[in-house]
Amino acid sequence: MSIEPLIMGSVSSGSGPLLSFTCNHLSSSSSLHSSLLHYNSSFDSFSIFKIFPRKKSFRGVFVAMASDLSKPTVLITGAAGRTGQIVYKKLKDRSDQFNGKGLVRTSDSKQTIGGADDVFIGDIRDTDSIAPAIQGIDALIILTSAVPKMKPGSDPAREKPEFIFEDGAYPEQVDWIGQKNQIDVAKAAGVKHIVVVGSMGGTNPNHPLNSLANGNILIGKRKLTSLAIVTILQIWKRKAEQYLADSGIPYTIIRAGGLQDRPGGVRELIVGKDDELLETETRTISRADVAEVCIQALQFEEAQFKAFDLASKPEGAGEPTTDFKALFSKITTRF
């Protein structure tokens, strides 16, 4: 039996995605069937809510609030970090738009962000450990990063402090292998969009981040012994970003400027490429603004397959950014 659908509909805003559709299906037996559908344009999916069979003919308009099944499920890894916590909270505050979940490394970190059942504990260096958190999600926001710690015995009051990375937590293991694992598991799970937050400075071997603990977070230099330093001609963060760009998954790579713990939504945001913004006076950005850009990137096709530097003008200089579609449309660089 062949079916030829005729679909008429409209979308209106409100407390959630409200959709109205009239769907008439004319079958070979000349009976009409009407169905209510929800279309999620960001993730290209339909949800059929109910089917109403009718003899002969019927035409009607059905209105329904989209259910949780129609909202994209978004996982934030590194959810207990300073920026990750903001992203997680923003998603929870927008529960009418997203199903937000988090991935953290320890039970203590889980408690830091409330200890909810939707927060998973896992080690990004182990794919089996993170697979349960990634299964069933629509989008992934990667906020994991190697974090140096001050070397025991360092006295910042007397001398420039030294930093070290814990065993197993060097940039190569976290920023390359850990991110690669997340991308691989996400691809296998059918994730539709990955947002990665990195840092400006990847084109500059003299960037301050590259001298911390000889770890070369951005460039890839690690002290193996007190007598030998091996320079790996790979850029750990950029290597992971390149791997994502080559994966075929729609992506957004955000290379943030210097992160500040200030309120968001009050500055004009600026996008750039190839560390050009580091040569200007606008090379910092609030964590809250970075978090907002992560979430906005999930909602616009203009953000997909894009990589860009991100900073902001000083408060009061320019107009606060509210049109994120226009912001993403300015970006032309894929990597």
Side-chain angles (χ1 to χ4, degrees), residues 105-154:
R105 192 164 56 92
T106 67
S107 56
D108 287 344
S109 295
K110 179 173 180 174
Q111 294 306 313
T112 298
I113 56 174
D117 290 340
D118 58 26
V119 178
F120 295 79
I121 298 173
D123 185 342
I124 60 172
R125 298 167 300 179
D126 177 7
T127 55
D128 290 340
S129 175
I130 62 176
I134 293 176
Q135 291 299 320
I137 68 171
D138 297 291
L140 172 65
I141 300 176
I142 298 178
L143 282 161
T144 53
S145 181
V147 179
K149 296 186 177 182
M150 189 177 297
K151 186 177 180 179
S154 293

Side-chain angles (χ1 to χ4, degrees), residues 7-12 17-23 35-39 60-65:
I7 301 178
M8 300 174 59
S10 63
V11 181
S12 61
L18 183 64
L19 295 95
S20 304
F21 285 95
T22 301
C23 303
S35 306
L36 178 64
L37 294 88
H38 167 75
Y39 177 61
V61 178
F62 303 90
V63 180
M65 294 300 297

Side-chain angles (χ1 to χ4, degrees), residues 26 31 44-45 53 82 98 118 122 163 170 201 212 220 235-236 241 249 287 311:
L26 181 61
S31 64
D44 195 25
S45 61
R82 291 161 71 182
F98 303 99
D118 58 26
F163 294 87
Y170 277 88
L212 289 177
I235 304 171
W236 300 127
E241 292 167 5
I249 305 170
R287 293 179 186 275

Side-chain angles (χ1 to χ4, degrees), residues 282-295:
T282 52
R283 51 181 181 265
T284 61
I285 187 167
S286 74
R287 293 179 186 275
D289 282 329
V290 173
E292 185 63 31
V293 172
C294 287
I295 295 174

Side-chain angles (χ1 to χ4, degrees), residues 62-264:
F62 303 90
V63 180
M65 294 300 297
S67 69
D68 283 349
L69 293 177
S70 67
K71 295 185 297 186
T73 297
V74 184
L75 176 71
I76 310 100
T77 60
R82 291 161 71 182
T83 307
Q85 289 186 48
I86 301 173
V87 177
Y88 180 74
K89 184 178 186 303
K90 281 179 175 286
L91 287 176
K92 288 303 181 182
D93 289 344
R94 300 175 198 184
S95 58
D96 60 325
Q97 296 176 268
F98 303 99
N99 292 318
K101 297 183 177 183
L103 177 72
V104 298
R105 192 164 56 92
T106 67
S107 56
D108 287 344
S109 295
K110 179 173 180 174
Q111 294 306 313
T112 298
I113 56 174
D117 290 340
D118 58 26
V119 178
F120 295 79
I121 298 173
D123 185 342
I124 60 172
R125 298 167 300 179
D126 177 7
T127 55
D128 290 340
S129 175
I130 62 176
I134 293 176
Q135 291 299 320
I137 68 171
D138 297 291
L140 172 65
I141 300 176
I142 298 178
L143 282 161
T144 53
S145 181
V147 179
K149 296 186 177 182
M150 189 177 297
K151 186 177 180 179
S154 293
D155 186 355
R158 298 179 57 185
E159 59 186 3
K160 183 179 179 179
E162 294 183 52
F163 294 87
I164 60 172
F165 290 97
E166 294 180 347
D167 288 343
Y170 277 88
E172 179 183 1
Q173 296 157 313
V174 176
D175 294 307
W176 163 232
I177 296 173
Q179 286 197 21
K180 178 181 180 296
N181 286 344
Q182 293 175 72
I183 295 164
D184 287 343
V185 175
K187 185 172 184 177
V191 172
K192 303 175 183 69
H193 192 175
I194 297 180
V195 177
V196 170
V197 176
S199 174
M200 286 194 285
T203 63
N204 179 12
N206 296 315
H207 191 279
L209 281 178
N210 291 324
S211 64
L212 289 177
N214 290 320
N216 258 57
I217 297 176
L218 302 175
I219 296 294
K221 179 180 177 183
R222 179 162 65 95
K223 185 175 182 180
L224 299 179
T225 70
S226 60
L227 299 176
I229 295 178
V230 177
T231 302
I232 309 298
L233 296 179
Q234 296 289 349
I235 304 171
W236 300 127
K237 281 186 177 291
R238 292 295 176 102
K239 186 175 181 181
E241 292 167 5
Q242 184 67 66
Y243 188 79
L244 173 60
D246 293 338
S247 70
I249 305 170
Y251 64 87
T252 305
I253 299 170
I254 303 168
R255 297 168 182 144
L259 295 172
Q260 298 181 327
D261 295 314
R262 295 183 178 180

